[in-house]
Amino acid sequence: MTGQTVRSMSGRVRTTALVVPLLLFVQQMMLGSNGPLLAVAAAFSDILAALVVLFLAAPDARFWRQTWPVIAIICAAVCWLCAPALIPTAFLWAPKRPAPDMFLPGIVKVFGNLALLLAGAWIGYRRGLMREALQWILALGIVAIGVGAALRQIDPAHVWGYDKNIMGGRFTGTLLNANSNASLCAVTAILGLTSVLASLRVARGGPVSGSAAIWWFVGLLGCVMGIAACAATGSRTVLSLLAVCLIGLAVGDRALRNAALSWIGAISVATGAVAIAFLTAVAGEMTISRFASFGQDGTGRLEIFSHYWQIVLQSPWIGYGPSSFDEINLHSLGSPVEAMSFWYLHAPHNAAISLMLAGGIPYLGLLVLAFVLMARRAAASQRTDRQDPLLRGAIVSVILIGATSMVDIQLDVPAVFGLTVFLASLIWGRSIRTRADRQSGQLAVDQDDGRAR
């Protein structure tokens, strides 16, 4: 094979790392794809993107041998979700579903998320592609913040002409919900910091290449812009968790501690101080006042959780079907007090309750089991990959979004859910490849020992 052909194939495979980040960026620009038609269109594009990644990345048989248990459990969860609609006679005992017409678009969204899971795993499985995909997410996240800031300067009360309503005083970026946008900005800040940490490791190893210097600058820019944008959203939970995550990542990084006295380390620390000052200036009176009402808003969240948990208990085994929340909500308003308190909600503000409303407790349990298996595989591979800052950034980003989704609508916004699934599957795919490499190395050692004997 000629060198030109090798370079061509390498370029083609590297293009794979851009496919899904670019798609997620487009979905973020389109109000986070948060609407019935936009969500279905996003799901179809996710499926097409996964087919492109499958063609370009072409996972080998080792991948499927390592992943089939998780894929089988997720397929079982999807079958359970579909069963009441496909075999209605078997569920005559269950409550009548309020929105049977939403089953098909809801299932399309589920398959779109499954496609993103596989695409991310295929990219993470290919050596070097996970890092490039995370760098693209960082770079496009910076662009998204810039676009959102420009839209806010043009018209603070609208996004692409759509009214922000009660979010008019907060930074929603290209979304209509400030808290969901805060999670996206937090991911940009986290990946920005870990990109800087990765560049510091390169600098310690010898002369810094132009590419490493560029990503060091992009990382600093992303960290500063992500922190400032997150503060401007006024999201107290996301901002608090982001501060904890950034401090933990910085303090826990040995290379940063060792480089603190070098010129590049000093610049990084100084930039971090500027970012904190910028955060304080941007947050201003609005964020401080929102922290003052934290207790009252927390009580309101508990009322929301209690209300929708009671609805879950009315159909705990099969739920009410995908994409049926609005109809469920309207049917549950049995008193004037409930009507005043819950009529405007389009999500239960808790990811676990949202999944149970869609498919019941078994549906949630199967998905949790699949995620636990993925997390165990990722944790087992950390002994090898623990020195990769970008990988740690992806893990922390998933944890942050997952934690905030327990008290807000993050995972009910397709663009945010898609990014979370993609990040988690990148980590999973990377851990699968790490294990496969170890097994191949052990096999080679065993074969060598056999020949020696």
Side-chain angles (χ1 to χ4, degrees):
M1 183 179 294
T2 64
Q4 183 178 358
T5 304
V6 172
R7 287 192 297 271
S8 176
M9 289 184 64
S10 177
R12 189 190 74 171
V13 173
R14 290 183 63 183
T15 303
T16 311
L18 175 60
V19 173
V20 176
L22 185 59
L23 174 62
L24 293 173
F25 170 77
V26 172
Q27 293 176 7
Q28 184 178 345
M29 291 295 102
M30 298 170 58
L31 304 175
S33 296
N34 195 20
L37 293 178
L38 289 175
V40 172
F44 275 115
S45 63
D46 293 339
I47 295 170
L48 291 175
L51 293 175
V52 172
V53 172
L54 176 61
F55 173 74
L56 295 175
D60 56 28
R62 294 187 305 171
F63 174 87
W64 299 108
R65 286 196 297 267
Q66 299 284 349
T67 59
W68 75 263
V70 171
I71 295 175
I73 292 171
I74 294 176
C75 288
V78 174
C79 289
W80 182 261
L81 183 66
C82 296
L86 299 180
I87 320 173
T89 55
F91 296 91
L92 294 176
W93 49 268
K96 185 177 179 181
R97 294 197 162 189
D101 57 315
M102 295 303 296
F103 169 76
L104 187 57
I107 289 300
V108 170
K109 290 162 58 177
V110 170
F111 277 101
N113 294 327
L114 180 57
L116 275 183
L117 178 75
L118 292 174
W122 294 332
I123 292 172
Y125 185 70
R126 292 299 295 262
R127 188 178 302 277
L129 287 188
M130 185 201 75
R131 174 180 291 271
E132 294 204 18
L134 293 176
Q135 289 175 333
W136 280 117
I137 291 173
L138 167 61
L140 293 172
I142 294 172
V143 175
I145 293 173
V147 172
L151 292 175
R152 190 185 190 194
Q153 286 297 112
I154 295 171
D155 185 355
H158 297 83
V159 176
W160 305 124
Y162 289 87
D163 193 353
K164 293 165 61 174
N165 296 314
I166 61 174
M167 298 287 177
R170 300 168 65 184
F171 178 59
T172 65
T174 56
L175 280 63
L176 293 176
N177 182 272
N179 295 329
S180 298
N181 182 55
S183 294
L184 296 176
C185 297
V187 171
T188 301
I190 291 170
L191 292 182
L193 174 61
T194 52
S195 181
V196 171
L197 297 179
S199 299
L200 289 177
R201 294 177 184 278
V202 174
R204 290 184 62 206
V208 180
S209 65
S211 176
I214 291 173
W215 284 112
W216 173 74
F217 173 77
V218 171
L220 289 177
L221 182 63
C223 188
V224 172
M225 291 182 65
I227 293 172
C230 187
T233 65
S235 179
R236 299 155 297 189
T237 305
V238 177
L239 187 61
S240 300
L241 286 177
L242 175 61
V244 172
C245 291
L246 293 177
I247 292 172
L249 285 168
V251 173
D253 189 80
R254 183 181 302 174
L256 180 61
R257 296 196 302 268
N258 293 337
L261 299 179
S262 66
W263 66 270
I264 193 170
I267 293 176
S268 300
V269 172
T271 304
V274 171
I276 294 174
F278 192 23
L279 181 155
T280 304
V282 172
E285 185 177 353
M286 179 192 66
T287 303
I288 295 174
S289 63
R290 283 183 55 76
F291 271 107
S293 62
F294 191 83
Q296 180 181 353
D297 292 343
T299 302
R301 283 289 192 272
L302 291 177
E303 293 176 356
I304 292 173
F305 300 159
S306 176
H307 175 74
Y308 293 112
W309 173 246
Q310 293 302 316
I311 299 175
V312 168
L313 293 180
Q314 295 174 23
S315 182
W317 296 109
I318 63 169
Y320 300 90
S323 299
S324 60
F325 179 82
D326 284 341
E327 292 295 329
I328 297 170
N329 191 37
L330 292 177
H331 279 71
S332 71
L333 304 179
S335 68
V337 173
E338 290 178 344
M340 291 296 295
S341 300
F342 305 116
W343 70 267
Y344 64 94
L345 296 179
H346 297 283
H349 291 68
N350 180 283
I353 293 177
S354 181
L355 291 171
M356 286 187 287
L357 287 171
I361 296 174
Y363 179 61
L364 172 65
L366 288 169
L367 293 179
V368 169
L369 176 59
F371 180 79
V372 168
L373 292 180
M374 293 168 61
R376 284 186 60 189
R377 178 60 54 82
S381 70
Q382 287 306 293
R383 187 174 301 176
T384 301
D385 288 335
R386 65 181 182 272
Q387 298 301 323
D388 190 337
L390 278 172
L391 177 61
R392 292 204 306 272
I395 294 172
V396 170
S397 296
V398 172
I399 293 173
L400 183 143
I401 297 178
T404 55
S405 71
M406 293 296 106
V407 294
D408 220 309
I409 70 168
Q410 270 80 343
L411 294 185
D412 288 296
V413 177
V416 181
F417 189 88
L419 176 62
T420 308
V421 169
F422 183 63
L423 289 173
S425 60
L426 282 176
I427 300 165
W428 182 43
R430 170 70 172 262
S431 66
I432 294 166
R433 198 250 305 161
T434 301
R435 179 176 180 180
D437 286 348
R438 285 203 303 266
Q439 290 178 340
S440 297
Q442 184 62 48
L443 178 61
V445 170
D446 293 342
Q447 290 175 341
D448 288 342
D449 290 345
R451 284 194 296 270
R453 289 193 298 270

